Amino acid sequence: MGSLTGQVALITGAGRGIGRELAIGLAAEGMAVGLVGRTHETLTDTLKECVRHGSRGVAVTADVTRPGSVREAVRLVERDLGPIDLLVNNAGRVDRAEVPLWETDANQWWQVVETNLRGPYNLLRCVLPGMVSREHGRIINLNTGFALRPDGHYTAYATSKGALLQLSDNMADSLAQHNVVVLDISPGAVATDMTAAMPMFKDRKSWGSIPYMVAVTVDAARGRFDALHGRFIHAGRDDLDELVTRAEEIREMDARTLRLRPYKPDDPMA
């Protein structure tokens, strides 16, 4: 796997939680880091820690749901650090309450979808033209097991993350022609402010490892998982060595993507 020294990463939601740790971990491996988030103070704290590792960096306050704000953030990152080699779509929200759809707050429900789906789209729309023209780049979308199964109490979160996974699948073939890799990676249930506040986790005693997710992201940035392009990886559960070894088989089986399950061998929708 290649060195990350001299490469540039842009990480959204970089002021706290997983985004902060990913930024610091990538900086420690030699990447310059563009930190994007809504709160200047937390971004600045993350930037200071990245600089302690000898990394170049820039902190840009932006709302990922606003295209103009994202365009300006990307422009500033590329102006100060150079072309973006790695985009990490980490910024996200979750339903405020565990209630069925008909009891949700309509505005908050849509805010979750906008942040988790429109946000990554806005970043992709701004970053991908450069990656495609340079024939080089990697995208990591932070995803979740909620994308793969129905959940009647977190309908906005599950729907938006499922759509994000489908978006990656829809981009994969066209991006492969330009040597750009996209992966959806779930860290599992790790203790962040967002996750720990979810009622379903209020009595949870054991959490996944954020440092492990950092290590997986660093490996992905180096190209370890390129053969799994367009696929879903669950860092908290998967045997990653096995996934890499069986990558060709996984592609041939069309596995680790969202697909309609056939109900019989000659199901016309299979």
Side-chain angles (χ1 to χ4, degrees):
M1 296 184 292
S3 169
L4 299 182
T5 301
Q7 294 192 44
V8 177
L10 188 157
I11 306 100
T12 65
R16 59 182 182 175
I18 294 175
R20 169 185 167 86
E21 298 305 319
L22 294 181
I24 295 170
L26 293 167
E29 296 296 326
M31 293 195 91
V33 289
L35 313 176
V36 176
R38 292 181 298 167
T39 307
H40 177 74
E41 291 76 14
T42 57
L43 290 175
T44 300
D45 288 343
T46 302
L47 180 58
K48 289 177 181 177
E49 190 62 31
C50 292
V51 170
R52 289 193 186 101
H53 289 281
S55 171
R56 294 185 302 130
V58 59
V60 184
T61 305
D63 181 344
V64 298
T65 68
R66 300 174 64 87
S69 182
V70 170
R71 283 195 298 271
E72 180 63 8
V74 171
R75 186 188 72 80
L76 292 173
V77 170
E78 293 188 325
R79 182 198 68 184
D80 291 353
L81 303 178
I84 295 166
D85 300 285
L86 172 69
L87 168 63
V88 181
N89 280 314
N90 165 73
R93 290 191 181 194
V94 70
D95 306 51
R96 187 176 296 143
E98 284 187 355
V99 295
L101 180 74
W102 56 91
E103 295 179 10
T104 56
D105 179 299
N107 290 330
Q108 202 269 333
W109 196 97
W110 192 246
Q111 287 171 357
V112 172
V113 175
E114 281 201 304
T115 302
N116 297 351
L117 181 59
R118 190 181 187 190
Y121 167 81
N122 287 337
L123 269 298
L124 290 163
R125 183 63 185 84
C126 291
V127 171
L128 279 178
M131 289 184 172
V132 167
S133 67
R134 293 187 298 274
E135 299 280 317
H136 167 77
R138 293 186 176 92
I139 309 292
I140 297 175
N141 293 323
L142 268 288
N143 214 307
T144 170
F146 281 85
L148 309 174
R149 63 179 186 270
D151 190 290
H153 292 116
Y154 286 97
T155 53
Y157 187 61
T159 298
S160 60
K161 290 296 189 177
L164 180 61
L165 184 55
Q166 188 69 12
L167 176 62
S168 297
D169 192 12
N170 279 292
M171 294 189 298
D173 285 348
S174 55
L175 289 180
Q177 300 173 33
H178 301 282
N179 199 35
V180 177
V181 172
V182 59
L183 298 166
D184 279 64
I185 303 180
S186 169
V190 296
T192 65
D193 291 343
M194 184 183 84
T195 307
M198 294 168 69
M200 68 178 296
F201 293 135
K202 65 182 179 66
D203 296 321
R204 192 179 185 94
K205 305 299 183 184
S206 176
W207 294 92
S209 168
I210 292 179
Y212 182 63
M213 181 60 193
V214 173
V216 170
T217 301
V218 168
D219 279 354
R222 285 181 172 145
R224 181 186 178 193
F225 307 116
D226 283 3
L228 294 163
H229 169 62
R231 311 291 159 173
F232 177 88
I233 298 172
H234 198 303
R237 296 184 181 179
D238 279 326
D239 180 330
L240 300 180
D241 288 334
E242 181 182 17
L243 283 185
V244 172
T245 300
R246 300 182 64 177
E248 183 175 352
E249 178 186 354
I250 288 170
R251 290 195 303 273
E252 290 175 353
M253 294 173 60
D254 209 14
R256 287 307 177 104
T257 58
L258 287 180
R259 292 289 185 271
L260 195 67
R261 292 197 299 269
Y263 70 96
K264 60 179 182 175
D266 59 344
D267 182 351
M269 295 302 293

